């Protein structure tokens, strides 16, 4: 099952109203749980990259919950209406740089152009470079480094040029 298939499954489950789905085949096990209507709480620690690794003797992948990403409510809508949001194209772990010793790909105030790498999302031990689809200036980073992100979750606010 590809990452895209898993994303589509989670999207389907989130729209279906189901609270929990378990799928198990001979070489894959997926468990998707949705939290109740209350506000989800963040885990105390970020899951390690091993959380997406196969488990011997049977590979196992645990997909994050299908809870919709929280919206940016701190700023009034009038202030953010002219900003463009760069969103996560997949589920995984968000990283601002390629490794802990290197600087972040972008900082608040940096200019970005279409195609410039803004972050990396690790999904199932694959590191995917996420490129900006717009040109502009980074106004806000919406996600902490090394934290899990959901599909379509806002990552950055960009003021278009």
């Amino acid at each position: 099952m590809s990452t895209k298939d898993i994303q589509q499954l989670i999207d389907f489950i989130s729209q279906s109203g189901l609270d929990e789905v378990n799928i198990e085949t001979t070489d894959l096990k997926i468990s998707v749980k949705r939290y109740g209507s209350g506000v989800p709480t963040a885990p105390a620690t970020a899951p390690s990259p091993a959380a997406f690794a196969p488990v011997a003797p049977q590979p196992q992948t645990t997909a994050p919950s299908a809870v919709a990403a929280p919206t940016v409510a701190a700023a009034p809508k009038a202030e953010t209406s002219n900003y463009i949001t760069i969103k996560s194209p997949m589920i995984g772990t968000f990283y601002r740089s390629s490794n802990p010793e290197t600087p972040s790909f972008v900082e608040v105030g940096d200019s970005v152009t279409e195609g410039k790498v803004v972050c990396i999302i690790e999904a199932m031990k694959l590191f995917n470079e996420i490129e900006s689809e717009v040109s502009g200036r980074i106004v806000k980073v919406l996600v902490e480094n090394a934290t899990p992100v959901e599909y379509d979750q806002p990552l950055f606010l960009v003021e278009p040029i």
Side-chain angles (χ1 to χ4, degrees):
M1 184 175 250
S2 71
T3 303
K4 188 170 185 98
D5 293 336
I6 294 170
Q7 290 171 355
Q8 290 174 343
L9 175 65
I10 291 172
D11 288 341
F12 173 76
I13 293 167
S14 68
Q15 295 173 1
S16 72
L18 297 173
D19 288 332
E20 182 176 344
V21 173
N22 294 312
I23 298 174
E24 189 170 341
T25 64
T26 56
D27 56 310
L28 179 71
K29 181 178 179 182
I30 297 176
S31 176
V32 180
K33 296 180 184 179
R34 181 188 346 201
Y35 296 104
S37 60
V39 177
T41 57
T45 59
S48 69
F52 295 103
V55 177
Q58 177 179 353
Q60 178 178 352
T61 304
T62 304
S65 68
V67 176
T71 58
V72 180
K77 196 167 196 143
E79 288 182 21
T80 60
S81 64
N82 61 333
Y83 297 149
I84 297 172
T85 305
I86 297 175
K87 296 181 180 181
S88 176
M90 64 186 64
I91 296 169
T93 304
F94 171 86
Y95 294 104
R96 294 192 60 198
S97 63
S98 57
N99 66 56
E101 292 80 35
T102 60
S104 298
F105 290 109
V106 293
E107 296 288 346
V108 172
D110 288 354
S111 292
V112 293
T113 57
E114 287 184 44
K116 177 179 173 44
V117 176
V118 293
C119 66
I120 290 177
I121 296 182
E122 176 194 7
M124 298 170 69
K125 298 217 178 214
L126 295 174
F127 291 85
N128 303 282
E129 291 184 339
I130 307 305
E131 298 176 348
S132 175
E133 296 177 355
V134 297
S135 294
R137 184 179 59 84
I138 299 291
V139 175
K140 187 170 187 178
V141 180
L142 303 171
V143 181
E144 292 295 320
N145 192 43
T147 58
V149 294
E150 299 284 335
Y151 171 74
D152 214 30
Q153 178 176 345
L155 304 175
F156 299 94
L157 285 181
V158 178
E159 181 179 39
I161 297 179

